[in-house]
C-alpha cells in the first residue's frame, strides 16, 4: 500500500481532458443562480451564474459523479460523462426540498447501479444519509449512525445475551427491517437481531432508508422498512485514502482505500481494508469483572470491479469479507465465566448490466452471502466448556431486474428471482432450509406537473407457507411550489424464521430456555420427565403452527417550505398487524428460570407521528430537529382489560398488595418501545474547511420486564428503563487543499450509563487523521 499513491499518480499523466457545461433550473424551468456544483471524486466545485449556467474545465475524460445543491432544493446526484470533444449542455432540474440537511429526501437522480428499484417511488417516508454527514458525525460503525436518526433506535435484548442488539424502526423489532448492502440482504442474526456494529462505515457512500411496509418490493423481512447501504463506486481517477483514529476504551479504527480506472477507463477497481478494535465497556455496577458490551477485534475487506464489455453492457464483481473475535470474562460475584466469540461474514455477487439505447435497463445477478458464528462459554471455576451459539448460514439468490421509461410520464420497473436459505445450528435438531421464489413490479406515473401516482405489487411463493401477493399504492400531490402532500398504503407478509420455528436453546449464563413453536411439545415433555419444570402457564396452550404475519401500513404527511431557509416535514403512520409473532414466557423451571416460546398475537398495531424541522440559519449553520410519537399496542390486551376476563383481566397493585381488575391506564404498551424520541442537530460548515456537529438525542422511558406478579403485560408496577439524553460532538478541519483532515469526536459527553442498557457505551473521546491521495 506504500507504493499506491505513486502508482496511482503515474497513471494520470496519459489521460485526455474535456469539459462539462450545464444549466440549473427549478421545476418551473426558472434559473437557480448560486447553485453549488460539485464533481466527485475530483473535488472540483463551481457556482452557477445568474442564468443558472456553469462550466467545469480541464477534466479527464470518463464518468463522474455530479452533485448539485441549492438552498430550498433537494440535492441532485447523477452520473455525468466527460468526453474529449463533447460539448453537450446538461439541463438539470432541481426539486423543492422536502426534508432537512441531515436527512435528505431520496430522489430519482440517485442512480444505484446495484439496484434498479427507485426507492423514492414507494412514496413511503424515505431519507438518505450521505458520506459527508457520516464524516461530520465522526461515526465508526453503522449502528452509531442509525441510532441518531428520527424514528430509529438501537435496542438491547438482554434475555438473548449482551451481544443481542438490533435496530428498531417505528416500533418494529429488528427482525422486521431488511438490512441490505448494495441492494442485497444481509444474513447472520443473533436471536433475531442483526448486529450492525460489525459493519464499518469507512467505505459507505450513502445510506438509503425507507420507513413503512416495503415487502411488496423487498421481501418478507421489510415489514418495518429497508436500510440499504451503498458502498463507494463511480471511480473516475486513481486515488487513495489512509485514515487512523484512536480514543477511549483503546478504540482503534484504521482504514486503507485505493481505487483506479483501467483499460482506458473501460474498467475500474476499488479495494478497502479496515481494522477496528475496542476494549468494550461496562454499564453494570454488579459486574465485578468483564464488560456488558464485550471487547472485540474486527478485520474487514471489500473489493469491487467493473468492466464495460461494450457500450451497452457492463460486468460487475463485488466482494466483502469481515471477521471478528471477542473474548469476555464475566463475574457477577458467583464465579467467573469466559465468553469466546468468532464470526466470519462473506458477501459476494456478480452481475451483468445492460443499458439499451431505447431506454431499457436490464440487470442479471447472482448473490451469495455466508455468515458463521461460533460462541462458547467456559466455567472458569471448573474448566468445563459449554456450547453456546454455533451456526453457519447461507443465502443463495438469483435475480433479474428491468426498468423502462416509456416517456417523461411513465416508468415501469420489475423483477423476478429465487432464493435458497440454509442454516446449520447446534441449537436446532438438524440442518434446516427454506426456498422461495418472487416477482414484483412497480409503475411510476406522472399525471401532471403536480400529481404523481405510484403503484406496485409483489408475488412470493414459500415452500412451507405457500404464496401471497402484496400490493401498494402511493400518491404525491404538489398544489403549490412550497407544499407537497404524500399518502401511501402498503401491505406486508412475513413468514416465521428459523429461530421461531426450530430453536432449542438454553442460555448457559442465565439459565433461561427458548423453544421454537414446532419443537415445544417434544422438548417441554423432555424437561418435565427430567423434573426441571415447575409449572406450565395457560398461555402455552396457544403454541402451535405459527401463521405468517400480515400487515397493512398507512402513512400520510406533508412537507412545507415556508421560506427557502425553513422546512417542516410531518408524517403520520399506522401499522395494522395480524398474526404478530411474539416471544412469551410459557413455563417456569424448578430453578426459577423462564421458558420462552413463540405465539401469534391475533391483532396488534403500531401508530404514531414523525416531525422534522430544518432551518438554514446562515449559509454555514444548519439546525435540524426531529421527533417521533409512538404507540405500540396489543389489541388482545386491550380487549381483555375491557371485559375483565382472560390473561390480562387482573393486575397486581403493589400499593394495595393485592390483585385488582385491570384498567386501560395500567397498560403501557409493548416492551422495549419508547413513547417519545427526539433529536436536534447543529451542523456548521465553514468555507475555510472547518466543519462541526453538535447533536442531542432523547429517548423517553420504555418497558423492560415484569417486576410484580406476572400478568403478561407491562403495567406501571413493572421495571422500566429511565428516560435519558445523549450529547455527541464532532469537529473537523481540512488542510492542504482537502488532502488532510483532522477530526476530534466526543460521544456521550455526559457519560450516561444504565445497567439495563448493556450496549450503551460511556463517554468516548477519539482523535483522527485522514489523508486523501488524489490529483489536484
Amino acid at each position: 500500500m506504500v507504493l499506491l499513491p505513486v502508482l496511482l499518480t503515474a497513471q494520470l499523466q496519459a489521460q485526455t481532458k474535456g469539459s462539462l457545461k450545464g444549466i440549473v433550473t427549478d421545476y418551473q424551468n426558472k434559473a437557480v443562480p448560486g447553485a453549488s456544483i460539485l464533481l466527485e471524486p475530483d473535488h472540483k466545485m463551481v457556482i452557477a451564474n445568474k442564468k443558472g449556467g456553469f462550466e467545469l474545465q480541464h477534466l479527464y475524460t470518463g464518468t463522474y459523479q455530479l452533485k448539485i445543491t441549492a438552498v430550498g432544493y433537494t440535492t441532485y446526484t447523477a452520473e455525468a460523462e466527460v468526453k474529449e470533444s463533447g460539448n453537450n449542455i446538461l439541463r438539470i432540474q432541481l426539486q423543492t426540498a422536502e426534508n432537512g440537511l441531515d436527512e435528505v429526501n431520496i430522489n430519482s437522480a440517485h442512480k444505484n447501479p446495484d439496484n434498479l428499484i427507485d426507492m423514492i417511488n414507494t412514496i413511503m417516508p424515505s431519507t438518505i444519509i450521505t458520506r459527508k454527514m457520516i464524516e461530520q458525525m465522526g461515526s465508526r460503525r453503522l449502528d452509531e449512525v442509525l441510532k441518531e436518526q428520527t424514528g430509529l433506535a438501537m435496542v438491547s435484548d438482554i434475555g438473548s445475551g449482551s451481544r443481542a442488539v438490533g435496530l428498531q424502526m417505528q416500533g418494529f423489532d429488528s427482525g422486521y427491517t431488511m438490512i441490505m448492502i448494495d441492494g442485497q440482504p444481509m444474513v447472520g442474526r443473533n436471536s433475531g437481531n442483526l448486529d450492525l456494529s460489525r459493519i464499518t462505515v469507512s467505505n459507505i457512500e450513502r445510506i438509503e432508508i425507507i420507513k413503512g411496509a416495503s415487502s411488496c418490493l423487498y421481501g418478507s423481512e421489510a415489514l418495518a422498512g429497508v436500510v440499504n447501504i451503498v458502498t463507494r463506486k463511480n471511480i473516475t481517477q486513481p486515488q487513495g485514502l489512509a485514515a487512523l483514529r484512536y480514543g477511549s476504551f483503546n478504540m482503534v479504527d484504521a482504514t486503507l482505500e485505493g481505487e483506479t480506472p483501467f483499460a482506458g477507463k473501460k474498467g475500474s477497481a476499488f479495494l478497502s481494508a479496515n481494522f477496528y478494535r475496542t476494549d468494550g465497556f461496562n454499564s453494570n455496577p454488579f459486574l465485578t469483572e468483564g464488560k456488558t458490551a464485550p471487547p472485540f477485534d474486527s478485520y474487514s475487506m471489500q473489493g469491487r470491479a467493473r468492466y464495460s464489455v461494450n457500450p451497452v453492457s457492463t460486468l460487475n464483481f463485488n466482494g466483502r469479507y469481515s471477521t471478528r473475535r471477542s473474548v469476555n470474562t464475566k463475574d457477577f460475584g458467583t464465579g467467573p465465566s469466559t465468553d469466546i466469540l468468532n464470526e466470519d461474514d462473506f458477501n459476494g455477487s456478480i452481475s451483468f448490466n445492460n443499458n439499451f439505447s431505447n431506454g431499457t435497463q436490464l440487470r442479471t445477478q447472482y448473490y451469495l452471502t455466508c455468515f458463521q458464528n461460533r460462541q462458547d462459554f467456559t466455567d472458569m471455576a471448573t474448566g468445563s466448556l459449554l456450547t453456546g451459539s454455533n451456526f453457519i448460514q447461507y443465502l443463495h439468490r438469483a435475480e433479474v431486474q428491468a426498468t423502462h421509461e416509456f416517456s417523461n410520464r411513465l416508468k415501469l420497473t420489475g423483477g423476478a428471482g429465487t432464493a435458497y436459505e440454509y442454516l446449520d445450528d447446534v441449537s436446532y435438531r438438524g440442518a434446516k432450509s427454506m426456498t422461495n421464489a418472487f416477482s414484483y413490479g412497480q409503475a411510476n406515473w406522472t399525471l401532471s406537473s403536480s400529481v404523481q401516482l405510484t403503484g406496485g405489487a409483489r408475488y412470493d411463493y414459500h415452500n412451507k407457507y405457500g404464496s401471497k401477493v402484496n400490493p401498494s399504492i402511493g400518491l404525491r400531490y404538489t398544489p403549490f411550489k412550497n407544499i407537497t402532500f404524500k399518502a401511501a398504503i402498503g401491505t406486508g407478509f412475513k413468514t416465521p424464521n428459523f429461530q421461531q420455528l426450530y430453536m432449542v436453546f438454553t442460555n448457559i449464563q442465565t439459565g433461561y430456555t427458548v423453544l421454537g413453536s414446532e419443537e415445544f411439545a417434544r422438548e417441554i415433555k423432555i424437561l418435565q420427565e427430567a423434573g426441571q419444570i415447575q409449572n406450565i402457564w395457560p398461555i402455552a396452550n396457544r403454541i402451535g403452527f405459527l401463521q405468517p404475519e400480515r400487515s397493512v401500513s398507512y402513512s400520510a404527511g406533508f412537507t412545507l417550505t415556508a421560506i427557502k431557509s425553513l422546512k417542516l416535514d410531518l408524517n403520520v403512520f399506522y401499522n395494522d398487524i395480524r398474526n404478530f409473532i411474539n416471544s412469551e414466557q410459557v413455563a417456569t423451571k424448578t430453578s426459577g428460570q423462564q421458558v420462552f416460546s413463540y405465539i401469534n398475537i391475533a391483532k396488534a398495531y403500531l401508530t404514531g407521528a414523525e416531525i422534522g424541522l430544518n432551518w438554514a440559519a446562515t449559509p454555514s449553520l444548519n439546525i435540524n430537529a426531529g421527533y417521533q410519537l409512538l404507540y405500540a399496542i396489543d389489541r388482545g390486551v386491550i380487549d381483555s382489560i375491557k371485559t375483565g376476563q382472560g390473561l390480562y383481566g387482573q393486575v397486581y397493585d403493589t400499593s394495595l398488595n393485592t390483585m385488582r381488575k385491570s384498567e386501560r391506564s395500567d397498560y403501557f404498551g409493548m416492551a422495549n418501545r419508547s413513547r417519545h424520541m427526539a433529536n436536534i442537530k447543529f451542523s456548521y460548515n465553514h468555507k475555510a474547511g472547518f466543519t462541526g456537529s453538535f447533536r442531542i438525542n432523547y429517548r423517553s422511558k420504555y418497558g423492560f420486564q415484569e417486576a410484580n406478579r406476572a400478568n403478561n403485560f407491562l403495567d406501571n408496577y413493572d421495571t422500566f428503563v429511565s428516560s435519558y439524553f445523549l450529547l455527541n460532538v464532532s469537529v473537523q478541519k481540512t488542510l492542504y487543499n482537502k488532502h488532510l483532515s483532522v477530526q476530534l469526536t466526543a460521544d456521550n459527553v455526559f457519560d450516561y450509563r444504565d445497567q439495563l442498557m448493556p450496549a450503551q457505551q460511556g463517554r468516548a473521546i477519539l482523535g483522527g487523521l485522514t489523508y486523501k491521495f488524489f490529483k489536484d
Side-chain angles (χ1 to χ4, degrees), residues 672-715:
N672 224 354
R673 294 163 175 88
S674 295
R675 186 70 45 81
H676 309 282
M677 292 175 60
N679 61 75
I680 185 167
K681 310 170 189 177
F682 299 84
S683 302
Y684 183 77
N685 192 345
H686 193 271
K687 61 182 179 180
F690 175 80
T691 61
S693 66
F694 180 92
R695 311 180 306 278
I696 301 174
N697 295 275
Y698 169 76
R699 187 175 180 187
S700 67
K701 74 172 187 177
Y702 57 89
F704 178 70
Q705 68 179 14
E706 292 269 6
N708 57 348
R709 295 183 182 178
N711 54 6
N712 295 304
F713 73 87
L714 278 173
D715 54 56

Side-chain angles (χ1 to χ4, degrees), residues 125 170 486 488 554-558 570-574 607-611:
Q170 290 188 342
K486 293 192 294 184
Y554 306 87
S555 68
F558 68 86
L570 172 66
N571 182 67
V572 179
F573 59 90
Y574 181 88
T607 186
E610 290 184 0
I611 300 174

Side-chain angles (χ1 to χ4, degrees), residues 235 260-269 306-308:
I235 300 166
T260 181
F262 61 87
K265 291 201 173 182
K266 292 179 64 178
S268 62
R306 303 178 70 187
Y307 184 78
S308 296

Side-chain angles (χ1 to χ4, degrees), residues 149-164:
Q149 310 306 315
T150 303
L152 306 184
M154 300 305 301
V155 297
S156 301
D157 181 2
I158 293 184
S160 298
S162 57
R163 304 183 192 277

Side-chain angles (χ1 to χ4, degrees), residues 9 16 47 62 87 149 185 195 200 212 259 288 391 434 506 548 581 606 645-646 676 678 766:
T9 304
T16 57
I47 302 297
N87 291 312
Q149 310 306 315
D195 185 359
T200 177
E259 56 187 41
T288 59
F391 68 89
M434 292 182 180
T506 297
I581 299 175
L606 302 168
Q645 304 295 322
H676 309 282
L766 295 96

Side-chain angles (χ1 to χ4, degrees), residues 455-471:
R458 180 186 180 97
Y459 170 81
D460 277 286
Y461 173 78
H462 193 280
N463 66 326
K464 185 177 180 65
Y465 291 97
S467 59
K468 174 65 178 177
V469 176
N470 291 299

